[in-house]
Amino acid sequence: MIFKTVPGSDGEEIIIAHNPETGDMYEFNDIGSYLLPMFAENLPMDQMLARILSEFDATEEEISADVIPFVERLIDLGMVELKPTPRQQAE
């Protein structure tokens, strides 16, 4: 997967991902663009959620309901991998 920052139609920078094997391209919205650096930091999901919770005015349930399905989709598409949480490592 190749990630690139490009100018969007409104002049704001956006992040796109390109899968050279399939030719598929994906555009990340603001939240997706916010999450990508956390993947680069190799943060486990619980730490990602804690960081988002500390920075946004939303409940843990709201954040989990929005973020977890998005991250699962990225994993399914092979765009990202997540570091296991300490609990997952112990299992």
Side-chain angles (χ1 to χ4, degrees):
M1 197 64 60
I2 299 169
F3 294 92
K4 196 174 204 179
T5 303
V6 299
S9 59
D10 60 359
E12 295 282 327
E13 287 191 338
I14 58 169
I15 295 177
I16 59 167
H18 175 245
N19 182 335
E21 294 177 12
T22 64
D24 293 336
M25 295 193 69
Y26 304 90
E27 181 179 325
F28 286 79
N29 64 14
D30 291 340
I31 298 300
S33 296
Y34 177 82
L35 291 172
L36 280 178
M38 289 189 232
F39 292 111
E41 292 178 46
N42 202 22
L43 292 178
M45 178 64 87
D46 59 342
Q47 289 181 21
M48 290 174 68
L49 292 172
R51 183 179 293 180
I52 296 164
L53 185 60
S54 73
E55 295 185 29
F56 289 91
D57 184 27
T59 67
E60 184 174 354
E61 293 78 21
E62 291 169 326
I63 289 170
S64 294
D66 288 342
V67 172
I68 291 173
F70 175 72
V71 171
E72 288 173 343
R73 179 75 175 137
L74 295 179
I75 292 168
D76 289 345
L77 291 169
M79 298 175 86
V80 298
E81 294 181 7
L82 278 183
K83 179 179 178 180
T85 64
R87 182 184 307 157
Q88 290 170 328
Q89 289 175 335
E91 292 176 353

